[in-house]
């Protein structure tokens, strides 16, 4: 429609140029062979011929039957304008088609993040963790994860920075932040001295005005275009003392992923203090784990006792039902006083 509308528009302009110059007048046909009369565009006598000439100019076909002359400066201006408009339309059409075929934004929609992040103990350290996954079979090449903490800070000089961004490292055995996103992964950030979360405890987390922004970048395997997916976690979306449930299982040498449990978490033992206090007093972690083990044993004992009580109740109810099914013996006495030996 863009090309067709442009051809029709410039066909109307060429027709008006020819009409204004008098090329449409039938009386000029006898003077065309003379040297005194020169039309603006040769062989343009109607709107149909003007439309054909517009197509020839814009797509540079050039059949040779119609051509411009230097008689009309206005026609030269229209020719330059149509060439420029034709180039712009070509560029826009190619860009639209390329963006449609690439579909980078749709590829980013298949990269999912867990709705909530967690803070738990991993390898003896408090860690900030979230889960990321890819729903498509085609992989993301050179995928990398970056985490930024955005918070309001005040400098020692009293300057207030409303949006202060701090990059925090991601725990990765490789030196770079590249990940192999073949299955859902739990991205971990160790809360150490370099982390802005180092002095935050479980009670202080709810009072913090901060936001952790997660950025996942990679190259789409099919198109080679760089795509980016983003999410963020505020203080209310961070669960302290939780851990993500496992969703990858192996059955007969084949790995299966249960995306229905993608964001599910479970409570685990974790100290409520900050990472700084945990580094200064490592015994806090040992005490927390011991309390968790004791509570786990107590819960197991309660479950066992409840099972025993239920089994005892079931056995007693079975005995009662069996005793109720026993028919008592009945003795019949005749009027003469003799007892019958029939019993039921």
């Amino acid at each position: 429609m863009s090309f067709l509308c442009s051809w029709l528009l410039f066909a109307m302009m060429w027709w008006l140029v020819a009409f204004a110059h008098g090329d449409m007048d039938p009386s000029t046909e006898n003077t065309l062979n003379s040297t005194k009369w020169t039309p603006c565009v040769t062989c343009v006598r109607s709107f149909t011929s003007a439309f054909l000439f517009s197509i020839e100019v814009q797509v540079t076909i050039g059949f040779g039957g119609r051509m411009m002359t230097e008689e009309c400066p206005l026609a030269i201006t229209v020719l330059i304008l149509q060439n420029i408009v034709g180039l712009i339309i070509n560029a826009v059409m190619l860009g639209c088609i390329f963006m449609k075929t690439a579909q980078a934004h749709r590829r980013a929609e298949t990269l999912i993040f867990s709705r909530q992040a967690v803070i738990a103990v991993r390898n003896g350290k408090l860690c900030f963790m979230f889960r990321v996954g890819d729903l498509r079979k085609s992989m993301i090449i050179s995928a990398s994860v970056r985490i930024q903490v955005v918070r309001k800070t005040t400098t020692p000089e009293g300057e207030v920075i409303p949006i202060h961004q701090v990059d925090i490292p991601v725990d990765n055995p490789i030196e770079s932040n590249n990940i192999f996103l073949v299955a859902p992964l739990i991205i971990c950030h160790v809360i150490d001295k370099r982390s802005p979360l180092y002095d935050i405890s479980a009670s202080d987390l709810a009072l913090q005005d901060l936001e952790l922004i997660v950025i996942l970048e990679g190259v789409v395997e099919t198109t080679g275009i760089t795509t980016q997916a983003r999410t963020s976690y505020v203080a209310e979306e961070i669960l302290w003392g939780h851990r993500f449930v496992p969703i990858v299982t192996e059955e007969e040498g084949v790995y299966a992923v249960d995306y229905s449990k993608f964001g599910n978490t479970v409570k685990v033992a974790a100290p409520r203090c900050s990472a700084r206090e945990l580094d200064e007093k490592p015994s806090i972690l040992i005490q927390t784990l011991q309390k968790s083990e004791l509570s786990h044993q107590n819960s197991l004992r309660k479950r066992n006792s409840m099972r025993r009580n239920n089994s005892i109740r079931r056995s007693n109810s079975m005995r009662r039902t069996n005793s109720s099914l026993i028919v008592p013996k009945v003795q019949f006495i005749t009027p003469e006083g003799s007892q019958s030996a029939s019993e039921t």
Side-chain angles (χ1 to χ4, degrees):
M1 287 301 296
S2 300
F3 284 110
L4 184 60
C5 292
S6 65
W7 295 338
L8 290 173
L9 175 63
F10 283 99
M12 180 62 69
M13 295 176 68
W14 288 117
W15 184 85
L16 291 175
V17 168
F19 181 79
H21 190 255
D23 298 344
M24 302 294 181
D25 191 359
S27 61
T28 61
E29 295 181 3
N30 298 325
T31 60
L32 286 177
N33 296 327
S34 63
T35 58
K36 295 181 180 179
W37 176 260
T38 304
C40 292
V41 181
T42 60
C43 300
V44 175
R45 307 283 182 85
S46 62
F47 182 78
T48 304
S49 57
F51 179 72
L52 293 175
F53 181 72
S54 175
I55 297 175
E56 293 175 12
V57 169
Q58 189 162 334
V59 300
T60 64
I61 295 177
F63 291 116
R66 300 173 184 86
M67 58 179 294
M68 271 192 58
T69 62
E70 66 276 7
E71 182 70 20
C72 304
L74 180 60
I76 299 174
T77 305
V78 174
L79 176 65
I80 295 172
L81 182 62
Q82 186 171 5
N83 286 327
I84 294 174
V85 172
L87 291 174
I88 293 174
I89 292 176
N90 287 333
V92 171
M93 289 297 107
L94 288 175
C96 292
I97 293 172
F98 182 74
M99 291 180 64
K100 271 292 183 181
T101 54
Q103 297 178 351
H105 63 285
R106 292 188 180 181
R107 187 64 181 90
E109 291 176 357
T110 59
L111 299 172
I112 57 175
F113 299 89
S114 57
R115 292 185 177 180
Q116 294 173 325
V118 298
I119 294 179
V121 177
R122 175 182 280 190
N123 298 326
K125 297 286 186 179
L126 280 175
C127 298
F128 170 82
M129 294 174 286
F130 61 92
R131 179 173 277 167
V132 61
D134 189 3
L135 298 178
R136 287 197 182 183
K137 294 182 179 180
S138 60
M139 296 179 57
I140 296 292
I141 304 173
S142 301
S144 62
V145 177
R146 294 188 295 113
I147 306 177
Q148 289 185 346
V149 176
V150 180
R151 62 192 307 178
K152 182 180 179 181
T153 58
T154 304
T155 62
E157 295 78 14
E159 180 184 1
V160 178
I161 304 176
I163 303 176
H164 182 60
Q165 301 179 11
V166 180
D167 287 333
I168 59 177
V170 177
D171 185 21
N172 197 341
I174 309 174
E175 293 182 358
S176 63
N177 291 335
N178 293 342
I179 58 175
F180 187 54
L181 200 59
V182 67
L185 298 178
I186 297 177
I187 307 300
C188 176
H189 160 65
V190 179
I191 305 177
D192 52 10
K193 296 180 180 179
R194 300 175 298 171
S195 174
L197 308 177
Y198 189 61
D199 296 324
I200 298 177
S201 62
S203 58
D204 297 336
L205 182 62
L207 305 176
Q208 293 293 322
D209 185 15
L210 58 84
E211 184 175 5
L212 283 88
I213 300 176
V214 179
I215 303 172
L216 174 62
E217 293 180 342
V219 179
V220 182
E221 184 181 18
T222 54
T223 59
I225 300 176
T226 302
T227 184
Q228 185 182 94
R230 298 178 301 273
T231 190
S232 64
Y233 299 101
V234 295
E236 292 79 7
E237 297 173 339
I238 301 175
L239 303 178
W240 193 290
H242 283 248
R243 183 181 298 165
F244 289 105
V245 299
I247 61 175
V248 180
T249 58
E250 182 182 1
E251 298 177 0
E252 299 179 358
V254 178
Y255 290 96
V257 180
D258 186 7
Y259 278 99
S260 62
K261 301 178 182 179
F262 183 81
N264 294 358
T265 61
V266 61
K267 261 192 173 184
V268 293
R272 309 291 292 179
C273 63
S274 63
R276 179 186 292 274
E277 296 177 0
L278 187 62
D279 290 343
E280 294 175 353
K281 298 178 181 179
S283 60
I284 298 177
L285 179 60
I286 299 175
Q287 295 175 0
T288 304
L289 295 178
Q290 289 178 352
K291 290 180 181 179
S292 174
E293 185 65 24
L294 290 175
S295 63
H296 181 65
Q297 291 179 359
N298 293 332
S299 63
L300 289 178
R301 291 174 183 173
K302 289 181 180 180
R303 290 179 183 176
N304 293 331
S305 62
M306 290 178 63
R307 290 177 181 175
R308 290 175 184 175
N309 293 333
N310 291 333
S311 62
I312 292 172
R313 290 175 183 175
R314 289 178 182 175
S315 61
N316 292 333
S317 62
M318 290 293 293
R319 289 176 182 176
R320 291 175 183 175
T321 53
N322 292 334
S323 61
S324 62
L325 292 175
I326 298 175
V327 181
K329 295 182 179 180
V330 181
Q331 193 174 31
F332 294 94
I333 301 176
T334 59
E336 290 80 7
S338 61
Q339 296 180 353
S340 62
S342 63
E343 295 180 354
T344 59

